């Protein structure tokens, strides 16, 4: 995948969003945060973690990770794309997507300020 990470410059305070798919349904946001924290080696780079749920409040198997800076987003992408998450029902390979660089930066990082489709 060819991605221009620095199209709009590198700023460690810009919040970048990374979508994580194929998350085991029993995994909560805390588990995903622990995984991302282990990859980044710095929990101060994590702005927000969200596991999407349906109207019944059950996991939809995907979520969003909001991190500070393009370098952190790049690390999450490179380390977690294809990562095999072991759980009770077997292994799941995570799928990771990034928005194009010009759509990455968020002025306000609150779930209500970011429209998820």
């Amino acid at each position: 995948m060819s991605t221009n990470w620095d199209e709009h410059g590198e700023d460690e305070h810009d919040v970048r969003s990374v979508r994580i798919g194929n998350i085991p349904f029993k995994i909560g946001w805390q588990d995903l945060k622990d995984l991302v924290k282990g990859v980044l080696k710095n929990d101060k780079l994590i702005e927000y973690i969200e596991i999407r749920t349906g109207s019944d409040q059950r996991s939809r198997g995907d979520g969003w990770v909001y991190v500070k800076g393009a370098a952190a987003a790049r690390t999450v992408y490179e380390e977690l794309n294809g990562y095999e998450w072991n759980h009770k029902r077997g292994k799941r390979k995570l799928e990771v997507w990034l928005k194009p660089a010009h759509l990455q930066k968020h002025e306000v990082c609150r779930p209500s300020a970011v429209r998820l489709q």
Side-chain angles (χ1 to χ4, degrees):
M1 176 177 165
S2 171
T3 305
N4 185 356
W5 294 93
D6 300 318
E7 181 178 326
H8 293 278
E10 177 73 28
D11 183 349
E12 67 182 43
H13 300 292
D14 288 333
V15 176
R16 306 289 176 119
S17 57
V18 182
R19 181 170 175 249
I20 310 287
N22 207 25
I23 299 171
F25 293 113
K26 298 290 183 186
I27 297 300
W29 69 267
Q30 299 93 336
D31 301 314
L32 184 56
K33 181 179 180 181
D34 290 343
L35 180 66
V36 173
K37 185 168 58 171
V39 165
L40 293 177
K41 313 277 191 283
N42 182 352
D43 63 345
K44 293 180 181 177
L45 294 175
I46 302 170
E47 186 71 24
Y48 188 79
I49 303 282
E50 176 182 16
I51 299 285
R52 293 192 329 142
T53 58
S55 59
D56 59 0
Q57 298 305 308
R58 291 174 38 184
S59 172
R60 294 181 66 180
D62 69 315
W64 291 89
V65 174
Y66 299 94
V67 295
K68 295 176 184 173
R74 182 181 329 117
T75 299
V76 170
Y77 174 81
E78 291 171 354
E79 295 293 323
L80 294 186
N81 194 30
Y83 175 85
E84 288 189 358
W85 200 324
N86 292 310
H87 61 101
K88 293 178 187 175
R89 296 184 183 191
K91 294 181 181 178
R92 278 270 180 91
K93 278 193 176 183
L94 296 181
E95 300 168 350
V96 183
W97 296 271
L98 293 164
K99 291 181 182 178
H102 68 284
L103 298 175
Q104 276 289 314
K105 298 181 182 179
H106 301 289
E107 291 179 17
V108 178
C109 184
R110 292 190 191 105
S112 59
V114 179
R115 185 178 177 130
L116 304 177
Q117 297 178 353

